[in-house]
Amino acid sequence: MITLLRCIKSDFYKLRHTSILWIHLLIPLAGAFTFLLYYHITAKNSIGDIKTYLEVLAIAFPLLIGLISGIVIDQEELAGNFQVLLTTSKLKCTTYLSKLIILLLLGSFSIILAVGIFALGFHVVPCLFYLKAAGALVLGNIFIYILHVFISLQFGKGASTGIGVSGSLISALMLTGLGDYIWHFIPWAWGVRFCDNMIYQLIYSSFSTEFASDSQNGLFIMLFAICIAFASSLCWFRKWEGRKSYE
């Protein structure tokens, strides 16, 4: 545990003088204030407007995750063909966990900031709703982070960014009727669908049980997939020795 904390601290220091921290700070602030300003100008003040904001937030994150994950892992490649990542700790998986935790913490910070700022300026629903929405978005992104760390390590920044773009498109597509029966099995749909179901529980209170059951099914599948992906990624990284081009 001490070694892991040291690795996390070291990874944080590596990012201090890069644009990564600023991206996680400025983008959520810009997004929240833009929507609040627009809703203020147009005098919008409904639950449907919250739905729109959360959907945009959920759709944007797969792209950002792909881009940020690629940049962070690319730093390790440029610093010495992943040698620091592979040799820093006696327990090889420690450095992998450190990278994953840093990305998850930064992503969670951005989500909490984006939802929190919006909640302060849009008092239509209780604060508890916004807290649950932020939690749903954080949980919905864990699998995607694991996937993109793997893709970035194995295939590079370009592949991670490309899949991030595709992920955002899939996330948007899952808002249509096409996603009604398959969203539980699509990682890029989890965040946006969880938030939508929460909104629908408020709007259509008579059907709240059905929406809650739908979310529970998705939650079970998501948690199972996260456990499988996390265990598989650890096993894979233990045997990973860098990209083939460096062997």
Side-chain angles (χ1 to χ4, degrees):
M1 179 61 69
I2 295 176
T3 304
L4 177 59
L5 291 175
R6 287 175 179 171
C7 286
I8 293 173
K9 184 178 180 180
S10 175
D11 282 333
F12 179 76
Y13 282 143
K14 290 178 184 178
L15 298 176
R16 277 196 310 173
H17 302 295
T18 68
S19 61
I20 299 296
L21 297 181
W22 287 108
I23 289 174
H24 284 86
L25 175 65
L26 297 180
I27 289 182
L29 285 177
F33 282 121
T34 298
F35 271 84
L36 286 174
L37 179 61
Y38 172 73
Y39 288 156
H40 176 73
I41 293 174
T42 57
K44 291 192 172 186
N45 195 33
S46 68
I47 295 178
D49 301 322
I50 301 175
K51 176 176 176 288
T52 300
Y53 177 72
L54 293 176
E55 285 177 352
V56 171
L57 200 59
I59 291 171
F61 256 90
L63 172 59
L64 293 175
I65 291 171
L67 180 62
I68 297 300
S69 298
I71 293 174
V72 170
I73 299 303
D74 190 55
Q75 288 181 337
E76 295 295 331
E77 181 180 6
L78 295 176
N81 296 343
F82 303 108
Q83 291 308 304
V84 175
L85 187 66
L86 293 170
T87 60
T88 297
S89 174
K90 292 181 180 180
L91 294 175
K92 191 176 175 182
C93 289
T94 302
T95 52
Y96 167 80
L97 287 174
S98 176
K99 290 292 183 188
L100 182 59
I101 290 172
I102 280 288
L103 287 169
L104 287 172
L105 288 175
L106 289 174
S108 299
F109 169 77
S110 289
I111 289 172
I112 292 170
L113 185 62
V115 175
I117 294 297
F118 186 81
L120 291 175
F122 210 78
H123 309 285
V124 177
V125 295
C127 291
L128 181 60
F129 172 87
Y130 287 113
L131 184 62
K132 290 180 178 179
L137 290 172
V138 169
L139 286 175
N141 285 335
I142 293 176
F143 182 95
I144 301 176
Y145 272 110
I146 295 173
L147 175 65
H148 277 280
V149 170
F150 164 74
I151 292 171
S152 299
L153 286 168
Q154 187 69 14
F155 303 107
K157 181 172 65 175
S160 180
T161 303
I163 293 177
V165 173
S166 300
S168 287
L169 294 175
I170 293 172
S171 182
L173 187 62
M174 288 298 103
L175 288 173
T176 66
L178 179 64
D180 287 346
Y181 301 102
I182 64 172
W183 75 266
H184 313 82
F185 307 98
I186 309 297
W188 296 277
W190 291 335
V192 71
R193 276 287 182 162
F194 284 141
C195 289
D196 268 12
N197 279 352
M198 289 172 59
I199 291 289
Y200 292 145
Q201 284 180 261
L202 293 177
I203 298 176
Y204 309 109
S205 57
S206 58
F207 296 98
S208 61
T209 303
E210 287 80 355
F211 289 119
S213 177
D214 190 44
S215 292
Q216 287 176 359
N217 292 335
L219 179 64
F220 175 80
I221 294 172
M222 180 189 71
L223 293 177
F224 179 76
I226 289 173
C227 291
I228 295 298
F230 181 67
S232 299
S233 67
L234 288 178
C235 293
W236 168 79
F237 190 76
R238 284 173 184 163
K239 299 179 181 180
W240 190 66
E241 298 295 339
R243 296 203 192 123
K244 290 183 178 181
S245 57
Y246 301 132
E247 294 177 353

